[in-house]
Amino acid sequence: MPDAVEGCLELRSLLAAVEVAPPVAAVDVFAAELGKRLAAEEVAFLIADFNGSALVRLSQHKGGGGGRRWQGADTAETVPLAGTPYEQVVRTQRLQVHPGDEGSRVLAPVTDRGDVIGVLEMLLPADPDADTVDYIAAAAHALGYVVIVNRRFTDLFEWGQRSQPFSLAAEIQRRLLPTSLTCEAGQFTVAGAVEPAGNVGGDTFDYALDRDTLHVSLTDAMGHAEDAALLASLLVGSLRNSRRSGATLAEQASRANSAILEHGRADQFVTGQLLRVDLTTGTAAMINAGHPGPVRVRDGRVEDIELAADPPFGIVPGIDYRVQPVALLPGDRFVIVTDGILERNAATADVFGLLAATGDLHPREVVQEITRAVLRAVGGTLRDDATALCLDWYGGGERDRQVTAGANKLGASPLLAG
């Protein structure tokens, strides 16, 4: 296996081959080129589905039995995660090597800032040495960027992630969510999940990061199906437009309220929570527009955060929404949910107990555990959308030094060296 500098040149050559390929073939070219370099018997990319319960093996190879979906020459085979080595790789974000009679199977996480993109799977003729393992880990990281860049130009990856059919309402709602449902950003990690993934309407969450500010929202538009999705589009569009124009938190809420009143029907409204975190001072403020209040986990204790509730967006013209301070300490976990998680038939999910028991999990896993618990509690049939958003706050100081140290270590990897 080449040393770090040669490995860097190898990956650059591999990425150069990808850049001249059509976007729809980018991953296939990457896999073929990587396979040649390591004499692999098999190379496959498995993309994570939308609700995080399965991986989907994308391939152009025809044939195979049941469990496959077809779109032209492309096939998508759903691989459930529960109880498999794939699940461990996704959860731990650590590469695994599984020796066998036919060679060693290597599973490497494909991720970006905590957002699980999928898994790179390779069958090698022999057990890989440490340099080869490092090279594969770097290649998997590079593959994440290949997917991120090329999915802008093709529906292949979007189609592959849909292990369930999408309704029109879900199609509209999908465009309202952040491109990445998880983001690790030094001082914090934020993650969200929506269920049921294939048939949602009015629930949305969003986040955006400025140089000194984190913006977060979670909203629930009244109604179901297309009516709710269109109302949610109006609300999220207004929030993004005012946020991107530099509006204050109060101004964002006021403009969203006016947009619903002006363009929505008289009987329509949207509940929501708007959160703004000053990354310089570590202070936070919220607006509660008629929505269930947030929950904080601090030192293992789960507690409601008491916020005064103003009317939902689209009810009262000209209202001044109250901006309320929220205390954040390093180590705090901050969770917001929609009422689909709190409704009567979902109560046995015990969200408080779940939060107390999942303190060691990544926020990405926490929100998925919450939505899955609710699905189990209602027998798989929700009366309303169920959405959860989790923010882990690390603060500054030591956390920043750890991030810097980690970046310095990455700088010596085959991917980033040279």
Side-chain angles (χ1 to χ4, degrees):
M1 184 65 210
D3 61 21
V5 174
E6 291 176 343
C8 176
L9 295 175
E10 283 275 339
L11 280 177
R12 285 180 176 174
S13 173
L14 190 157
L15 292 173
V18 170
E19 286 180 354
V20 299
V24 72
V27 168
D28 294 327
V29 170
F30 185 98
E33 292 292 327
L34 182 62
K36 289 178 186 177
R37 285 160 171 75
L38 297 178
E41 301 290 337
E42 300 174 8
V43 182
F45 170 59
L46 295 87
I47 195 168
D49 76 346
F50 283 131
N51 63 14
S53 63
L55 296 174
V56 179
R57 191 189 309 274
L58 298 179
S59 174
Q60 281 191 297
H61 300 293
K62 294 187 177 181
R68 290 178 181 265
R69 291 178 288 123
W70 293 79
Q71 179 168 282
D74 294 296
T75 66
E77 177 188 8
T78 300
V79 180
L81 282 175
T84 68
Y86 301 106
E87 181 182 40
Q88 292 303 311
V89 171
V90 168
R91 280 183 174 272
T92 65
Q93 288 297 287
R94 294 181 182 274
L95 181 148
Q96 291 188 2
V97 179
H98 298 273
D101 295 338
E102 298 180 354
S104 284
R105 191 164 298 276
V106 181
L107 304 177
V110 179
T111 187
D112 178 57
R113 291 195 176 274
D115 189 38
V116 173
I117 298 171
V119 171
L120 172 66
E121 182 176 30
M122 304 185 69
L123 180 61
L124 302 179
D127 292 348
D129 59 22
D131 286 340
T132 302
V133 168
D134 287 344
Y135 180 80
I136 294 172
H141 190 63
L143 177 56
Y145 289 104
V146 170
V147 174
I148 289 169
V149 169
N150 287 281
R151 68 184 175 191
R152 298 176 299 168
F153 310 113
T154 173
D155 282 337
L156 175 64
F157 304 111
E158 183 86 15
W159 167 75
Q161 288 182 280
R162 299 186 178 193
S163 53
Q164 306 175 42
F166 266 41
S167 66
L168 175 57
E171 193 71 54
I172 297 170
Q173 185 268 358
R174 168 66 180 158
R175 302 278 73 80
L176 303 179
L177 299 177
T179 303
S180 296
L181 304 188
T182 301
C183 177
E184 295 174 349
Q187 290 176 276
F188 66 88
T189 298
V190 63
V194 180
E195 284 287 357
N199 188 27
V200 291
D203 281 14
T204 67
F205 67 88
D206 198 16
Y207 67 86
L209 181 63
D210 294 340
R211 290 190 182 275
D212 58 2
T213 308
L214 170 66
H215 308 265
V216 176
S217 68
L218 184 141
T219 58
D220 183 0
M222 64 149 289
H224 298 284
E226 287 77 11
D227 275 356
L230 291 172
L231 184 62
S233 296
L234 181 60
L235 188 283
V236 173
S238 174
L239 289 176
R240 286 175 175 169
N241 180 255
S242 57
R243 183 187 75 213
R244 290 164 180 167
S245 68
T248 66
L249 197 62
E251 288 169 340
Q252 291 178 37
S254 176
R255 294 178 189 179
N257 185 53
S258 296
I260 301 300
L261 286 166
E262 182 177 354
H263 302 289
R265 297 197 310 265
D267 62 340
Q268 291 183 311
F269 62 87
V270 182
T271 68
Q273 301 268 12
L274 308 184
L275 170 67
R276 195 169 196 170
V277 182
D278 187 318
L279 301 177
T280 303
T281 64
T283 58
M286 290 193 74
I287 286 175
N288 181 353
H291 198 83
V295 175
R296 179 173 55 214
V297 184
R298 176 177 290 173
D299 298 327
R301 299 189 305 274
V302 185
E303 55 189 2
D304 285 315
I305 297 177
E306 298 297 331
L307 289 179
D310 287 322
F313 301 116
I315 297 291
V316 181
I319 183 175
D320 291 324
Y321 284 91
R322 287 171 287 183
V323 179
Q324 304 173 67
V326 175
L328 278 182
L329 294 178
D332 280 357
R333 170 163 285 175
F334 196 79
V335 178
I336 316 173
V337 301
T338 57
D339 58 7
I341 286 176
L342 303 174
E343 65 175 346
R344 184 172 58 185
N345 68 332
T348 57
D350 186 17
V351 173
F352 266 50
L354 190 62
L355 288 174
T358 56
D360 59 338
L361 294 185
H362 190 281
R364 174 188 63 245
E365 306 292 337
V366 171
V367 293
Q368 291 176 355
E369 287 289 338
I370 291 173
T371 53
R372 289 170 188 164
V374 170
L375 278 175
R376 290 193 298 269
V378 300
T381 304
L382 287 165
R383 296 178 183 174
D384 194 5
D385 305 341
T387 302
L389 185 141
C390 179
L391 168 67
D392 277 7
W393 176 249
Y394 311 119
E398 182 61 27
R399 175 71 182 180
D400 291 339
R401 288 193 288 273
Q402 291 174 2
V403 171
T404 301
N408 290 338
K409 289 180 181 178
L410 283 175
S413 74
L415 174 61
L416 300 178

Short mmCIF file of all heavy atoms in Angstrom, two decimals, residues 205-229:
data_model
loop_
_atom_site.label_atom_id
_atom_site.label_comp_id
_atom_site.label_asym_id
_atom_site.label_seq_id
_atom_site.Cartn_x
_atom_site.Cartn_y
_atom_site.Cartn_z
N PHE A 205 -38.65 21.04 9.77
CA PHE A 205 -37.63 21.65 10.62
C PHE A 205 -36.57 22.22 9.70
O PHE A 205 -36.43 21.82 8.54
CB PHE A 205 -37.03 20.64 11.61
CG PHE A 205 -36.21 19.55 10.98
CD1 PHE A 205 -34.85 19.72 10.73
CD2 PHE A 205 -36.80 18.34 10.63
CE1 PHE A 205 -34.10 18.72 10.13
CE2 PHE A 205 -36.06 17.33 10.04
CZ PHE A 205 -34.70 17.52 9.80
N ASP A 206 -35.81 23.16 10.21
CA ASP A 206 -34.79 23.83 9.40
C ASP A 206 -33.70 24.34 10.31
O ASP A 206 -33.92 24.56 11.52
CB ASP A 206 -35.42 24.99 8.62
CG ASP A 206 -34.56 25.45 7.44
OD1 ASP A 206 -33.65 24.70 7.04
OD2 ASP A 206 -34.82 26.55 6.92
N TYR A 207 -32.51 24.49 9.76
CA TYR A 207 -31.43 25.13 10.49
C TYR A 207 -30.50 25.80 9.48
O TYR A 207 -30.44 25.42 8.31
CB TYR A 207 -30.65 24.14 11.36
CG TYR A 207 -29.87 23.11 10.58
CD1 TYR A 207 -28.58 23.38 10.11
CD2 TYR A 207 -30.41 21.86 10.30
CE1 TYR A 207 -27.86 22.45 9.37
CE2 TYR A 207 -29.70 20.92 9.57
CZ TYR A 207 -28.43 21.22 9.11
OH TYR A 207 -27.72 20.30 8.38
N ALA A 208 -29.78 26.81 9.95
CA ALA A 208 -28.79 27.48 9.12
C ALA A 208 -27.75 28.08 10.04
O ALA A 208 -28.04 28.49 11.18
CB ALA A 208 -29.44 28.57 8.27
N LEU A 209 -26.52 28.14 9.55
CA LEU A 209 -25.39 28.58 10.36
C LEU A 209 -24.74 29.81 9.72
O LEU A 209 -24.33 29.76 8.56
CB LEU A 209 -24.38 27.44 10.47
CG LEU A 209 -23.12 27.68 11.30
CD1 LEU A 209 -23.47 27.94 12.75
CD2 LEU A 209 -22.19 26.48 11.18
N ASP A 210 -24.70 30.91 10.48
CA ASP A 210 -23.91 32.07 10.09
C ASP A 210 -22.57 32.00 10.82
O ASP A 210 -22.32 31.08 11.59
CB ASP A 210 -24.63 33.37 10.48
CG ASP A 210 -25.91 33.57 9.70
OD1 ASP A 210 -26.06 32.94 8.64
OD2 ASP A 210 -26.77 34.33 10.18
N ARG A 211 -21.73 32.99 10.60
CA ARG A 211 -20.42 32.97 11.27
C ARG A 211 -20.55 33.03 12.79
O ARG A 211 -19.74 32.44 13.51
CB ARG A 211 -19.56 34.13 10.78
CG ARG A 211 -19.09 33.97 9.33
CD ARG A 211 -18.05 35.00 8.96
NE ARG A 211 -17.66 34.87 7.56
CZ ARG A 211 -16.73 34.02 7.12
NH1 ARG A 211 -16.10 33.25 7.98
NH2 ARG A 211 -16.42 33.96 5.84
N ASP A 212 -21.56 33.71 13.28
CA ASP A 212 -21.70 33.85 14.73
C ASP A 212 -23.09 33.47 15.25
O ASP A 212 -23.40 33.73 16.41
CB ASP A 212 -21.37 35.28 15.17
CG ASP A 212 -22.26 36.32 14.49
OD1 ASP A 212 -23.15 35.92 13.72
OD2 ASP A 212 -22.06 37.52 14.75
N THR A 213 -23.93 32.86 14.41
CA THR A 213 -25.30 32.58 14.82
C THR A 213 -25.78 31.24 14.26
O THR A 213 -25.51 30.92 13.09
CB THR A 213 -26.27 33.67 14.33
OG1 THR A 213 -25.77 34.96 14.72
CG2 THR A 213 -27.66 33.47 14.90
N LEU A 214 -26.48 30.49 15.08
CA LEU A 214 -27.20 29.30 14.64
C LEU A 214 -28.69 29.60 14.65
O LEU A 214 -29.23 30.05 15.67
CB LEU A 214 -26.90 28.11 15.55
CG LEU A 214 -27.79 26.87 15.35
CD1 LEU A 214 -27.54 26.25 13.97
CD2 LEU A 214 -27.56 25.84 16.46
N HIS A 215 -29.36 29.38 13.52
CA HIS A 215 -30.80 29.56 13.41
C HIS A 215 -31.46 28.19 13.33
O HIS A 215 -31.04 27.35 12.53
CB HIS A 215 -31.16 30.35 12.15
CG HIS A 215 -30.43 31.64 11.99
ND1 HIS A 215 -30.95 32.84 12.40
CD2 HIS A 215 -29.20 31.92 11.45
CE1 HIS A 215 -30.09 33.81 12.12
NE2 HIS A 215 -29.02 33.27 11.54
N VAL A 216 -32.50 27.95 14.12
CA VAL A 216 -33.21 26.68 14.11
C VAL A 216 -34.70 26.95 14.15
O VAL A 216 -35.16 27.87 14.84
CB VAL A 216 -32.82 25.81 15.33
CG1 VAL A 216 -33.64 24.53 15.37
CG2 VAL A 216 -31.33 25.48 15.33
N SER A 217 -35.46 26.16 13.40
CA SER A 217 -36.92 26.25 13.49
C SER A 217 -37.54 24.87 13.39
O SER A 217 -36.97 23.97 12.76
CB SER A 217 -37.49 27.15 12.38
OG SER A 217 -37.32 26.56 11.10
N LEU A 218 -38.67 24.70 14.04
CA LEU A 218 -39.50 23.51 13.90
C LEU A 218 -40.94 23.97 13.86
O LEU A 218 -41.38 24.72 14.74
CB LEU A 218 -39.26 22.54 15.06
CG LEU A 218 -40.01 21.20 14.96
CD1 LEU A 218 -39.13 20.05 15.44
CD2 LEU A 218 -41.30 21.23 15.79
N THR A 219 -41.66 23.59 12.80
CA THR A 219 -43.01 24.11 12.59
C THR A 219 -43.98 22.99 12.22
O THR A 219 -43.58 21.95 11.72
CB THR A 219 -43.02 25.19 11.47
OG1 THR A 219 -42.51 24.61 10.26
CG2 THR A 219 -42.16 26.37 11.86
N ASP A 220 -45.25 23.25 12.47
CA ASP A 220 -46.31 22.27 12.20
C ASP A 220 -47.49 23.01 11.58
O ASP A 220 -48.21 23.74 12.28
CB ASP A 220 -46.70 21.58 13.51
CG ASP A 220 -47.75 20.50 13.31
OD1 ASP A 220 -48.18 20.28 12.17
OD2 ASP A 220 -48.15 19.88 14.32
N ALA A 221 -47.67 22.84 10.27
CA ALA A 221 -48.79 23.47 9.58
C ALA A 221 -50.05 22.65 9.78
O ALA A 221 -50.03 21.42 9.70
CB ALA A 221 -48.48 23.60 8.09
N MET A 222 -51.16 23.31 10.02
CA MET A 222 -52.42 22.61 10.26
C MET A 222 -52.85 21.85 9.01
O MET A 222 -52.51 22.20 7.88
CB MET A 222 -53.51 23.59 10.66
CG MET A 222 -53.88 24.61 9.59
SD MET A 222 -55.61 25.13 9.63
CE MET A 222 -56.44 23.67 9.05
N GLY A 223 -53.62 20.79 9.24
CA GLY A 223 -54.18 20.04 8.12
C GLY A 223 -53.32 18.86 7.71
O GLY A 223 -52.38 18.46 8.41
N HIS A 224 -53.65 18.32 6.55
CA HIS A 224 -52.98 17.12 6.07
C HIS A 224 -52.74 17.24 4.56
O HIS A 224 -53.30 18.09 3.89
CB HIS A 224 -53.81 15.87 6.38
CG HIS A 224 -54.02 15.64 7.84
ND1 HIS A 224 -53.04 15.14 8.67
CD2 HIS A 224 -55.10 15.87 8.64
CE1 HIS A 224 -53.51 15.06 9.91
NE2 HIS A 224 -54.75 15.50 9.91
N ALA A 225 -51.90 16.36 4.09
CA ALA A 225 -51.63 16.19 2.66
C ALA A 225 -51.21 17.51 2.01
O ALA A 225 -50.50 18.31 2.60
CB ALA A 225 -52.83 15.55 1.97
N GLU A 226 -51.70 17.73 0.77
CA GLU A 226 -51.18 18.85 -0.02
C GLU A 226 -51.49 20.21 0.61
O GLU A 226 -50.66 21.13 0.54
CB GLU A 226 -51.76 18.80 -1.44
CG GLU A 226 -51.17 17.71 -2.32
CD GLU A 226 -51.74 16.33 -1.99
OE1 GLU A 226 -52.75 16.26 -1.23
OE2 GLU A 226 -51.19 15.33 -2.48
N ASP A 227 -52.66 20.37 1.24
CA ASP A 227 -52.98 21.65 1.87
C ASP A 227 -51.94 22.01 2.93
O ASP A 227 -51.46 23.14 3.00
CB ASP A 227 -54.37 21.59 2.51
CG ASP A 227 -55.48 21.90 1.52
OD1 ASP A 227 -55.16 22.24 0.36
OD2 ASP A 227 -56.66 21.80 1.90
N ALA A 228 -51.60 21.04 3.77
CA ALA A 228 -50.62 21.29 4.82
C ALA A 228 -49.23 21.53 4.24
O ALA A 228 -48.48 22.39 4.72
CB ALA A 228 -50.59 20.12 5.80
N ALA A 229 -48.88 20.78 3.20
CA ALA A 229 -47.56 20.93 2.60
C ALA A 229 -47.40 22.30 1.96
O ALA A 229 -46.34 22.94 2.07
CB ALA A 229 -47.33 19.83 1.56
#
